[in-house]
Amino acid sequence: MGTFTFIMLRLIVLALCVISAFGDINDELQDFMDQAQEDYKMLGMSIGAFQGDEWIMKGRIGLRHANDPTPIGEDDKFYLSDAGRSITAMLAARIVEQSEGRITWLSTIADVFGESITVLSPFTDATLLDLFLHSGHILDFDQVMQTEELMEWYDQVWAASQWDMPEENMQQRMELTKFLVNIDCGDEMCQEGRYSKFTYTVAVAMLEKFTGKSFDVLLNDYVFGPLNAPDCGLGPNTLDQSLPPLQPWSHFSGPWGVYDIPVLPGNQSNMPSSMTPDDGI
């Protein structure tokens, strides 16, 4: 999620708090969103707040597609990008809580995978908690771009992306983890505390190994099911490439609406399917 988008969301959350205290909530919210769209040239957005199973307020602005007049719908779905990591963390917390001590926040990569994969130092002692705190020495995106071997590996991760078979993505996460914890990278490359686009994926590979279930199944069992959120899931919100669009498309967008370029839905339209724990809910 870009810095500009993050700041805008914080402003909107603050506005929701103010609006909820005064006046007709939905009308006030819609007026605010209409003004925000005009001021900041947003293509589209849907926002709301709920308490229990009741909506307190809801509003939406804009279009599903920059080159099509279809407006954002009341029940449209949106890709959360790396903001979905909070849901991945919730999943981990519930599995740890219900495991009766069989897996803990201090369980290491070596503990969980045992002899099923080779784990080199410094990854051997990286714990589940370390991975969620970006302290497990996992490579970041900038480091992957530094060598031809790593770039070729990442190209293969993208090429293998698919959304039809959760078990295939589970296997891809295992292969991704095998690769990342077998890099002879030294302290300069595998630095503790660097923001990584792969670290939650390695953590979920640990949870999948422990439970024997895919990320998709675990999310439904531990998070979406208990929250009664059946429309939540993984991957692009649509794979349909026809117009008018059935759901909002992803776009390459410039600041202040300088440009909005639609991204054709498909297996490579968001992040790779194996990396959904980091960037795919």
Side-chain angles (χ1 to χ4, degrees), residues 96-144:
V96 168
E97 182 181 42
Q98 297 177 32
S99 73
E100 299 180 342
R102 291 179 297 137
I103 188 170
T104 74
W105 292 112
L106 300 181
S107 296
T108 66
I109 294 176
D111 289 337
V112 172
F113 288 107
E115 297 182 357
S116 63
I117 65 173
T118 301
V119 183
L120 299 182
S121 178
F123 310 109
T124 310
D125 297 326
T127 67
L128 185 64
L129 182 60
D130 288 336
L131 293 169
F132 279 104
L133 296 179
H134 295 270
S135 299
H137 303 279
I138 302 300
L139 294 183
D140 66 15
F141 181 77
D142 290 338
Q143 292 168 324
V144 168

mmCIF file of all heavy atoms in Angstrom, residues 96-144:
data_model
loop_
_atom_site.group_PDB
_atom_site.id
_atom_site.type_symbol
_atom_site.label_atom_id
_atom_site.label_comp_id
_atom_site.label_asym_id
_atom_site.label_seq_id
_atom_site.Cartn_x
_atom_site.Cartn_y
_atom_site.Cartn_z
ATOM 1 N N VAL A 96 -1.995 -20.738 17.165
ATOM 2 C CA VAL A 96 -1.127 -20.877 18.343
ATOM 3 C C VAL A 96 -1.969 -21.057 19.600
ATOM 4 O O VAL A 96 -1.696 -21.932 20.441
ATOM 5 C CB VAL A 96 -0.208 -19.643 18.474
ATOM 6 C CG1 VAL A 96 0.470 -19.621 19.839
ATOM 7 C CG2 VAL A 96 0.840 -19.640 17.361
ATOM 8 N N GLU A 97 -3.019 -20.259 19.739
ATOM 9 C CA GLU A 97 -3.857 -20.307 20.939
ATOM 10 C C GLU A 97 -4.542 -21.663 21.096
ATOM 11 O O GLU A 97 -4.693 -22.172 22.213
ATOM 12 C CB GLU A 97 -4.901 -19.194 20.864
ATOM 13 C CG GLU A 97 -5.811 -19.112 22.085
ATOM 14 C CD GLU A 97 -6.838 -18.011 21.955
ATOM 15 O OE1 GLU A 97 -7.413 -17.852 20.848
ATOM 16 O OE2 GLU A 97 -7.065 -17.307 22.944
ATOM 17 N N GLN A 98 -4.951 -22.257 19.988
ATOM 18 C CA GLN A 98 -5.718 -23.497 20.049
ATOM 19 C C GLN A 98 -4.866 -24.758 19.893
ATOM 20 O O GLN A 98 -5.391 -25.866 19.878
ATOM 21 C CB GLN A 98 -6.809 -23.476 18.965
ATOM 22 C CG GLN A 98 -7.834 -22.352 19.151
ATOM 23 C CD GLN A 98 -8.864 -22.299 18.037
ATOM 24 O OE1 GLN A 98 -9.240 -23.328 17.464
ATOM 25 N NE2 GLN A 98 -9.326 -21.096 17.713
ATOM 26 N N SER A 99 -3.548 -24.582 19.795
ATOM 27 C CA SER A 99 -2.678 -25.738 19.533
ATOM 28 C C SER A 99 -2.276 -26.502 20.785
ATOM 29 O O SER A 99 -1.611 -27.536 20.689
ATOM 30 C CB SER A 99 -1.406 -25.278 18.818
ATOM 31 O OG SER A 99 -0.547 -24.583 19.710
ATOM 32 N N GLU A 100 -2.647 -25.975 21.963
ATOM 33 C CA GLU A 100 -2.303 -26.607 23.240
ATOM 34 C C GLU A 100 -0.787 -26.789 23.379
ATOM 35 O O GLU A 100 -0.300 -27.809 23.863
ATOM 36 C CB GLU A 100 -3.022 -27.957 23.393
ATOM 37 C CG GLU A 100 -4.535 -27.819 23.386
ATOM 38 C CD GLU A 100 -5.246 -29.158 23.540
ATOM 39 O OE1 GLU A 100 -4.604 -30.204 23.312
ATOM 40 O OE2 GLU A 100 -6.448 -29.141 23.895
ATOM 41 N N GLY A 101 -0.052 -25.786 22.912
ATOM 42 C CA GLY A 101 1.394 -25.774 23.091
ATOM 43 C C GLY A 101 2.180 -26.540 22.055
ATOM 44 O O GLY A 101 3.420 -26.566 22.113
ATOM 45 N N ARG A 102 1.507 -27.150 21.089
ATOM 46 C CA ARG A 102 2.234 -27.922 20.067
ATOM 47 C C ARG A 102 2.960 -27.027 19.085
ATOM 48 O O ARG A 102 3.938 -27.442 18.460
ATOM 49 C CB ARG A 102 1.274 -28.864 19.350
ATOM 50 C CG ARG A 102 0.775 -30.005 20.257
ATOM 51 C CD ARG A 102 -0.196 -30.905 19.517
ATOM 52 N NE ARG A 102 -1.404 -30.195 19.123
ATOM 53 C CZ ARG A 102 -1.999 -30.294 17.952
ATOM 54 N NH1 ARG A 102 -1.476 -31.089 17.011
ATOM 55 N NH2 ARG A 102 -3.107 -29.625 17.683
ATOM 56 N N ILE A 103 2.500 -25.798 18.912
ATOM 57 C CA ILE A 103 3.247 -24.776 18.189
ATOM 58 C C ILE A 103 3.065 -23.479 18.965
ATOM 59 O O ILE A 103 1.967 -23.187 19.468
ATOM 60 C CB ILE A 103 2.775 -24.623 16.722
ATOM 61 C CG1 ILE A 103 3.713 -23.687 15.953
ATOM 62 C CG2 ILE A 103 1.336 -24.141 16.632
ATOM 63 C CD1 ILE A 103 3.480 -23.653 14.444
ATOM 64 N N THR A 104 4.148 -22.724 19.127
ATOM 65 C CA THR A 104 4.113 -21.478 19.874
ATOM 66 C C THR A 104 4.762 -20.378 19.040
ATOM 67 O O THR A 104 5.319 -20.627 17.967
ATOM 68 C CB THR A 104 4.865 -21.598 21.216
ATOM 69 O OG1 THR A 104 6.287 -21.614 20.954
ATOM 70 C CG2 THR A 104 4.465 -22.875 21.962
ATOM 71 N N TRP A 105 4.703 -19.142 19.565
ATOM 72 C CA TRP A 105 5.367 -18.043 18.882
ATOM 73 C C TRP A 105 6.874 -18.232 18.842
ATOM 74 O O TRP A 105 7.557 -17.645 17.993
ATOM 75 C CB TRP A 105 5.033 -16.715 19.567
ATOM 76 C CG TRP A 105 3.608 -16.307 19.432
ATOM 77 C CD1 TRP A 105 2.661 -16.244 20.414
ATOM 78 C CD2 TRP A 105 2.941 -15.906 18.219
ATOM 79 N NE1 TRP A 105 1.455 -15.831 19.897
ATOM 80 C CE2 TRP A 105 1.592 -15.609 18.564
ATOM 81 C CE3 TRP A 105 3.351 -15.757 16.900
ATOM 82 C CZ2 TRP A 105 0.667 -15.179 17.616
ATOM 83 C CZ3 TRP A 105 2.425 -15.329 15.953
ATOM 84 C CH2 TRP A 105 1.096 -15.047 16.314
ATOM 85 N N LEU A 106 7.400 -19.068 19.736
ATOM 86 C CA LEU A 106 8.841 -19.307 19.792
ATOM 87 C C LEU A 106 9.263 -20.568 19.054
ATOM 88 O O LEU A 106 10.447 -20.926 19.066
ATOM 89 C CB LEU A 106 9.302 -19.370 21.251
ATOM 90 C CG LEU A 106 9.046 -18.094 22.077
ATOM 91 C CD1 LEU A 106 9.576 -18.261 23.490
ATOM 92 C CD2 LEU A 106 9.672 -16.874 21.405
ATOM 93 N N SER A 107 8.331 -21.239 18.387
ATOM 94 C CA SER A 107 8.689 -22.385 17.542
ATOM 95 C C SER A 107 9.530 -21.880 16.371
ATOM 96 O O SER A 107 9.203 -20.879 15.729
ATOM 97 C CB SER A 107 7.440 -23.083 17.012
ATOM 98 O OG SER A 107 6.680 -23.639 18.069
ATOM 99 N N THR A 108 10.638 -22.558 16.099
ATOM 100 C CA THR A 108 11.542 -22.117 15.032
ATOM 101 C C THR A 108 11.228 -22.817 13.714
ATOM 102 O O THR A 108 10.495 -23.816 13.677
ATOM 103 C CB THR A 108 13.004 -22.412 15.403
ATOM 104 O OG1 THR A 108 13.196 -23.841 15.451
ATOM 105 C CG2 THR A 108 13.366 -21.798 16.751
ATOM 106 N N ILE A 109 11.802 -22.280 12.658
ATOM 107 C CA ILE A 109 11.660 -22.907 11.342
ATOM 108 C C ILE A 109 12.160 -24.344 11.401
ATOM 109 O O ILE A 109 11.517 -25.266 10.888
ATOM 110 C CB ILE A 109 12.428 -22.102 10.283
ATOM 111 C CG1 ILE A 109 11.796 -20.715 10.102
ATOM 112 C CG2 ILE A 109 12.448 -22.845 8.945
ATOM 113 C CD1 ILE A 109 12.554 -19.808 9.141
ATOM 114 N N ALA A 110 13.310 -24.547 12.055
ATOM 115 C CA ALA A 110 13.873 -25.896 12.162
ATOM 116 C C ALA A 110 12.980 -26.812 12.979
ATOM 117 O O ALA A 110 12.833 -28.002 12.664
ATOM 118 C CB ALA A 110 15.269 -25.822 12.787
ATOM 119 N N ASP A 111 12.344 -26.270 14.038
ATOM 120 C CA ASP A 111 11.443 -27.085 14.872
ATOM 121 C C ASP A 111 10.291 -27.641 14.047
ATOM 122 O O ASP A 111 9.939 -28.821 14.138
ATOM 123 C CB ASP A 111 10.856 -26.243 16.019
ATOM 124 C CG ASP A 111 11.873 -25.882 17.085
ATOM 125 O OD1 ASP A 111 12.884 -26.592 17.201
ATOM 126 O OD2 ASP A 111 11.649 -24.879 17.793
ATOM 127 N N VAL A 112 9.685 -26.777 13.259
ATOM 128 C CA VAL A 112 8.456 -27.146 12.550
ATOM 129 C C VAL A 112 8.737 -28.051 11.354
ATOM 130 O O VAL A 112 8.045 -29.052 11.144
ATOM 131 C CB VAL A 112 7.693 -25.881 12.099
ATOM 132 C CG1 VAL A 112 6.511 -26.254 11.196
ATOM 133 C CG2 VAL A 112 7.206 -25.101 13.312
ATOM 134 N N PHE A 113 9.765 -27.731 10.595
ATOM 135 C CA PHE A 113 10.034 -28.508 9.385
ATOM 136 C C PHE A 113 10.899 -29.736 9.645
ATOM 137 O O PHE A 113 10.915 -30.665 8.828
ATOM 138 C CB PHE A 113 10.689 -27.624 8.319
ATOM 139 C CG PHE A 113 9.744 -26.637 7.704
ATOM 140 C CD1 PHE A 113 9.834 -25.294 8.016
ATOM 141 C CD2 PHE A 113 8.751 -27.048 6.838
ATOM 142 C CE1 PHE A 113 8.956 -24.368 7.452
ATOM 143 C CE2 PHE A 113 7.863 -26.146 6.269
ATOM 144 C CZ PHE A 113 7.975 -24.795 6.579
ATOM 145 N N GLY A 114 11.606 -29.744 10.770
ATOM 146 C CA GLY A 114 12.417 -30.907 11.104
ATOM 147 C C GLY A 114 13.401 -31.238 9.995
ATOM 148 O O GLY A 114 14.084 -30.358 9.464
ATOM 149 N N GLU A 115 13.437 -32.516 9.616
ATOM 150 C CA GLU A 115 14.368 -32.961 8.579
ATOM 151 C C GLU A 115 13.741 -32.949 7.187
ATOM 152 O O GLU A 115 14.361 -33.409 6.233
ATOM 153 C CB GLU A 115 14.859 -34.374 8.915
ATOM 154 C CG GLU A 115 15.649 -34.461 10.217
ATOM 155 C CD GLU A 115 16.159 -35.860 10.490
ATOM 156 O OE1 GLU A 115 15.833 -36.772 9.686
ATOM 157 O OE2 GLU A 115 16.873 -36.042 11.490
ATOM 158 N N SER A 116 12.530 -32.411 7.077
ATOM 159 C CA SER A 116 11.864 -32.399 5.771
ATOM 160 C C SER A 116 12.515 -31.419 4.801
ATOM 161 O O SER A 116 12.407 -31.579 3.583
ATOM 162 C CB SER A 116 10.378 -32.057 5.929
ATOM 163 O OG SER A 116 10.204 -30.751 6.464
ATOM 164 N N ILE A 117 13.182 -30.382 5.317
ATOM 165 C CA ILE A 117 13.932 -29.454 4.472
ATOM 166 C C ILE A 117 15.232 -29.090 5.183
ATOM 167 O O ILE A 117 15.346 -29.208 6.403
ATOM 168 C CB ILE A 117 13.146 -28.165 4.147
ATOM 169 C CG1 ILE A 117 12.892 -27.340 5.413
ATOM 170 C CG2 ILE A 117 11.836 -28.480 3.450
ATOM 171 C CD1 ILE A 117 12.272 -25.975 5.118
ATOM 172 N N THR A 118 16.204 -28.648 4.402
ATOM 173 C CA THR A 118 17.457 -28.156 4.966
ATOM 174 C C THR A 118 17.314 -26.681 5.274
ATOM 175 O O THR A 118 16.839 -25.897 4.444
ATOM 176 C CB THR A 118 18.613 -28.365 3.973
ATOM 177 O OG1 THR A 118 18.731 -29.757 3.683
ATOM 178 C CG2 THR A 118 19.918 -27.850 4.551
ATOM 179 N N VAL A 119 17.698 -26.287 6.492
ATOM 180 C CA VAL A 119 17.606 -24.896 6.917
ATOM 181 C C VAL A 119 18.996 -24.436 7.342
ATOM 182 O O VAL A 119 19.586 -24.995 8.271
ATOM 183 C CB VAL A 119 16.616 -24.719 8.091
ATOM 184 C CG1 VAL A 119 16.481 -23.241 8.454
ATOM 185 C CG2 VAL A 119 15.252 -25.310 7.749
ATOM 186 N N LEU A 120 19.517 -23.424 6.652
ATOM 187 C CA LEU A 120 20.839 -22.901 6.954
ATOM 188 C C LEU A 120 20.759 -21.804 8.010
ATOM 189 O O LEU A 120 19.715 -21.180 8.220
ATOM 190 C CB LEU A 120 21.498 -22.349 5.691
ATOM 191 C CG LEU A 120 21.734 -23.323 4.529
ATOM 192 C CD1 LEU A 120 22.435 -22.597 3.389
ATOM 193 C CD2 LEU A 120 22.543 -24.526 4.978
ATOM 194 N N SER A 121 21.890 -21.546 8.660
ATOM 195 C CA SER A 121 22.007 -20.384 9.538
ATOM 196 C C SER A 121 22.030 -19.125 8.658
ATOM 197 O O SER A 121 22.603 -19.148 7.557
ATOM 198 C CB SER A 121 23.293 -20.492 10.346
ATOM 199 O OG SER A 121 23.461 -19.370 11.173
ATOM 200 N N PRO A 122 21.393 -18.017 9.081
ATOM 201 C CA PRO A 122 20.803 -17.720 10.384
ATOM 202 C C PRO A 122 19.324 -18.062 10.500
ATOM 203 O O PRO A 122 18.662 -17.655 11.452
ATOM 204 C CB PRO A 122 20.992 -16.202 10.475
ATOM 205 C CG PRO A 122 20.784 -15.747 9.051
ATOM 206 C CD PRO A 122 21.402 -16.825 8.197
ATOM 207 N N PHE A 123 18.777 -18.794 9.527
ATOM 208 C CA PHE A 123 17.339 -19.058 9.528
ATOM 209 C C PHE A 123 16.944 -20.155 10.524
ATOM 210 O O PHE A 123 15.787 -20.231 10.924
ATOM 211 C CB PHE A 123 16.894 -19.478 8.119
ATOM 212 C CG PHE A 123 17.356 -18.552 7.045
ATOM 213 C CD1 PHE A 123 18.347 -18.938 6.147
ATOM 214 C CD2 PHE A 123 16.827 -17.280 6.925
ATOM 215 C CE1 PHE A 123 18.784 -18.087 5.149
ATOM 216 C CE2 PHE A 123 17.259 -16.414 5.930
ATOM 217 C CZ PHE A 123 18.249 -16.818 5.042
ATOM 218 N N THR A 124 17.888 -20.994 10.926
ATOM 219 C CA THR A 124 17.593 -22.138 11.778
ATOM 220 C C THR A 124 16.842 -21.739 13.032
ATOM 221 O O THR A 124 15.882 -22.397 13.444
ATOM 222 C CB THR A 124 18.906 -22.855 12.180
ATOM 223 O OG1 THR A 124 19.674 -23.087 11.020
ATOM 224 C CG2 THR A 124 18.598 -24.177 12.873
ATOM 225 N N ASP A 125 17.281 -20.643 13.659
ATOM 226 C CA ASP A 125 16.714 -20.230 14.938
ATOM 227 C C ASP A 125 15.630 -19.163 14.803
ATOM 228 O O ASP A 125 15.149 -18.640 15.820
ATOM 229 C CB ASP A 125 17.823 -19.707 15.860
ATOM 230 C CG ASP A 125 18.845 -20.798 16.193
ATOM 231 O OD1 ASP A 125 18.447 -21.967 16.307
ATOM 232 O OD2 ASP A 125 20.036 -20.466 16.321
ATOM 233 N N ALA A 126 15.242 -18.820 13.587
ATOM 234 C CA ALA A 126 14.187 -17.828 13.389
ATOM 235 C C ALA A 126 12.851 -18.416 13.851
ATOM 236 O O ALA A 126 12.471 -19.514 13.456
ATOM 237 C CB ALA A 126 14.097 -17.424 11.927
ATOM 238 N N THR A 127 12.155 -17.698 14.711
ATOM 239 C CA THR A 127 10.897 -18.176 15.277
ATOM 240 C C THR A 127 9.700 -17.670 14.459
ATOM 241 O O THR A 127 9.824 -16.764 13.632
ATOM 242 C CB THR A 127 10.736 -17.706 16.727
ATOM 243 O OG1 THR A 127 10.583 -16.264 16.743
ATOM 244 C CG2 THR A 127 11.936 -18.105 17.573
ATOM 245 N N LEU A 128 8.552 -18.247 14.749
ATOM 246 C CA LEU A 128 7.307 -17.784 14.124
ATOM 247 C C LEU A 128 7.105 -16.300 14.408
ATOM 248 O O LEU A 128 6.750 -15.530 13.514
ATOM 249 C CB LEU A 128 6.132 -18.606 14.652
ATOM 250 C CG LEU A 128 4.763 -18.341 14.026
ATOM 251 C CD1 LEU A 128 4.751 -18.711 12.546
ATOM 252 C CD2 LEU A 128 3.670 -19.121 14.780
ATOM 253 N N LEU A 129 7.366 -15.898 15.654
ATOM 254 C CA LEU A 129 7.225 -14.484 16.000
ATOM 255 C C LEU A 129 8.222 -13.628 15.226
ATOM 256 O O LEU A 129 7.864 -12.541 14.741
ATOM 257 C CB LEU A 129 7.432 -14.299 17.504
ATOM 258 C CG LEU A 129 7.273 -12.859 18.028
ATOM 259 C CD1 LEU A 129 5.875 -12.334 17.749
ATOM 260 C CD2 LEU A 129 7.583 -12.798 19.521
ATOM 261 N N ASP A 130 9.458 -14.094 15.098
ATOM 262 C CA ASP A 130 10.461 -13.347 14.322
ATOM 263 C C ASP A 130 9.968 -13.073 12.911
ATOM 264 O O ASP A 130 10.142 -11.965 12.377
ATOM 265 C CB ASP A 130 11.771 -14.137 14.243
ATOM 266 C CG ASP A 130 12.527 -14.185 15.557
ATOM 267 O OD1 ASP A 130 12.333 -13.285 16.396
ATOM 268 O OD2 ASP A 130 13.303 -15.139 15.745
ATOM 269 N N LEU A 131 9.367 -14.073 12.289
ATOM 270 C CA LEU A 131 8.898 -13.914 10.916
ATOM 271 C C LEU A 131 7.810 -12.853 10.824
ATOM 272 O O LEU A 131 7.781 -12.050 9.877
ATOM 273 C CB LEU A 131 8.397 -15.247 10.369
ATOM 274 C CG LEU A 131 9.480 -16.311 10.184
ATOM 275 C CD1 LEU A 131 8.854 -17.671 9.890
ATOM 276 C CD2 LEU A 131 10.455 -15.929 9.075
ATOM 277 N N PHE A 132 6.920 -12.813 11.809
ATOM 278 C CA PHE A 132 5.855 -11.814 11.779
ATOM 279 C C PHE A 132 6.358 -10.417 12.133
ATOM 280 O O PHE A 132 5.703 -9.425 11.814
ATOM 281 C CB PHE A 132 4.720 -12.223 12.723
ATOM 282 C CG PHE A 132 3.783 -13.232 12.119
ATOM 283 C CD1 PHE A 132 3.832 -14.559 12.486
ATOM 284 C CD2 PHE A 132 2.856 -12.854 11.166
ATOM 285 C CE1 PHE A 132 2.978 -15.500 11.920
ATOM 286 C CE2 PHE A 132 2.000 -13.775 10.583
ATOM 287 C CZ PHE A 132 2.061 -15.104 10.962
ATOM 288 N N LEU A 133 7.528 -10.342 12.773
ATOM 289 C CA LEU A 133 8.112 -9.047 13.120
ATOM 290 C C LEU A 133 9.211 -8.628 12.153
ATOM 291 O O LEU A 133 9.954 -7.684 12.415
ATOM 292 C CB LEU A 133 8.680 -9.102 14.542
ATOM 293 C CG LEU A 133 7.668 -9.334 15.670
ATOM 294 C CD1 LEU A 133 8.382 -9.392 17.013
ATOM 295 C CD2 LEU A 133 6.602 -8.241 15.677
ATOM 296 N N HIS A 134 9.341 -9.338 11.024
ATOM 297 C CA HIS A 134 10.381 -9.060 10.031
ATOM 298 C C HIS A 134 11.773 -9.192 10.636
ATOM 299 O O HIS A 134 12.707 -8.473 10.250
ATOM 300 C CB HIS A 134 10.197 -7.660 9.435
ATOM 301 C CG HIS A 134 8.933 -7.499 8.646
ATOM 302 N ND1 HIS A 134 8.851 -7.745 7.292
ATOM 303 C CD2 HIS A 134 7.685 -7.131 9.030
ATOM 304 C CE1 HIS A 134 7.619 -7.526 6.871
ATOM 305 N NE2 HIS A 134 6.893 -7.166 7.909
ATOM 306 N N SER A 135 11.931 -10.098 11.578
ATOM 307 C CA SER A 135 13.220 -10.294 12.246
ATOM 308 C C SER A 135 13.784 -11.689 11.985
ATOM 309 O O SER A 135 14.654 -12.150 12.724
ATOM 310 C CB SER A 135 13.065 -10.075 13.754
ATOM 311 O OG SER A 135 12.640 -8.753 14.032
ATOM 312 N N GLY A 136 13.287 -12.359 10.946
ATOM 313 C CA GLY A 136 13.714 -13.725 10.669
ATOM 314 C C GLY A 136 14.773 -13.847 9.597
ATOM 315 O O GLY A 136 15.024 -14.946 9.109
ATOM 316 N N HIS A 137 15.378 -12.708 9.195
ATOM 317 C CA HIS A 137 16.471 -12.681 8.219
ATOM 318 C C HIS A 137 16.022 -13.005 6.787
ATOM 319 O O HIS A 137 16.879 -13.237 5.916
ATOM 320 C CB HIS A 137 17.594 -13.642 8.611
ATOM 321 C CG HIS A 137 18.167 -13.396 9.972
ATOM 322 N ND1 HIS A 137 19.106 -12.426 10.228
ATOM 323 C CD2 HIS A 137 17.913 -13.991 11.163
ATOM 324 C CE1 HIS A 137 19.420 -12.436 11.505
ATOM 325 N NE2 HIS A 137 18.707 -13.370 12.103
ATOM 326 N N ILE A 138 14.734 -13.030 6.521
ATOM 327 C CA ILE A 138 14.247 -13.351 5.175
ATOM 328 C C ILE A 138 14.545 -12.188 4.226
ATOM 329 O O ILE A 138 14.405 -11.020 4.590
ATOM 330 C CB ILE A 138 12.733 -13.642 5.204
ATOM 331 C CG1 ILE A 138 12.418 -14.789 6.163
ATOM 332 C CG2 ILE A 138 12.227 -13.972 3.799
ATOM 333 C CD1 ILE A 138 13.090 -16.102 5.818
ATOM 334 N N LEU A 139 14.956 -12.509 3.002
ATOM 335 C CA LEU A 139 15.290 -11.486 2.017
ATOM 336 C C LEU A 139 14.135 -10.527 1.774
ATOM 337 O O LEU A 139 12.967 -10.898 1.873
ATOM 338 C CB LEU A 139 15.662 -12.135 0.683
ATOM 339 C CG LEU A 139 16.925 -12.989 0.614
ATOM 340 C CD1 LEU A 139 17.120 -13.467 -0.810
ATOM 341 C CD2 LEU A 139 18.144 -12.207 1.088
ATOM 342 N N ASP A 140 14.495 -9.283 1.431
ATOM 343 C CA ASP A 140 13.471 -8.354 0.992
ATOM 344 C C ASP A 140 13.516 -8.224 -0.532
ATOM 345 O O ASP A 140 14.384 -8.793 -1.200
ATOM 346 C CB ASP A 140 13.616 -6.992 1.688
ATOM 347 C CG ASP A 140 14.894 -6.251 1.299
ATOM 348 O OD1 ASP A 140 15.526 -6.631 0.297
ATOM 349 O OD2 ASP A 140 15.255 -5.299 2.004
ATOM 350 N N PHE A 141 12.572 -7.467 -1.075
ATOM 351 C CA PHE A 141 12.439 -7.368 -2.532
ATOM 352 C C PHE A 141 13.671 -6.732 -3.163
ATOM 353 O O PHE A 141 14.142 -7.165 -4.225
ATOM 354 C CB PHE A 141 11.182 -6.559 -2.876
ATOM 355 C CG PHE A 141 10.935 -6.415 -4.345
ATOM 356 C CD1 PHE A 141 10.416 -7.462 -5.091
ATOM 357 C CD2 PHE A 141 11.227 -5.225 -5.001
ATOM 358 C CE1 PHE A 141 10.198 -7.336 -6.449
ATOM 359 C CE2 PHE A 141 11.008 -5.084 -6.358
ATOM 360 C CZ PHE A 141 10.489 -6.145 -7.081
ATOM 361 N N ASP A 142 14.209 -5.680 -2.533
ATOM 362 C CA ASP A 142 15.384 -5.006 -3.099
ATOM 363 C C ASP A 142 16.576 -5.948 -3.202
ATOM 364 O O ASP A 142 17.349 -5.886 -4.169
ATOM 365 C CB ASP A 142 15.753 -3.793 -2.243
ATOM 366 C CG ASP A 142 14.736 -2.675 -2.350
ATOM 367 O OD1 ASP A 142 13.997 -2.648 -3.354
ATOM 368 O OD2 ASP A 142 14.659 -1.843 -1.425
ATOM 369 N N GLN A 143 16.734 -6.820 -2.215
ATOM 370 C CA GLN A 143 17.854 -7.758 -2.250
ATOM 371 C C GLN A 143 17.677 -8.798 -3.353
ATOM 372 O O GLN A 143 18.651 -9.220 -3.978
ATOM 373 C CB GLN A 143 17.993 -8.438 -0.886
ATOM 374 C CG GLN A 143 18.444 -7.485 0.213
ATOM 375 C CD GLN A 143 18.305 -8.088 1.594
ATOM 376 O OE1 GLN A 143 17.362 -8.826 1.866
ATOM 377 N NE2 GLN A 143 19.232 -7.776 2.477
ATOM 378 N N VAL A 144 16.430 -9.205 -3.597
ATOM 379 C CA VAL A 144 16.164 -10.169 -4.665
ATOM 380 C C VAL A 144 16.584 -9.592 -6.021
ATOM 381 O O VAL A 144 17.028 -10.326 -6.907
ATOM 382 C CB VAL A 144 14.670 -10.555 -4.675
ATOM 383 C CG1 VAL A 144 14.306 -11.325 -5.940
ATOM 384 C CG2 VAL A 144 14.329 -11.386 -3.448
#
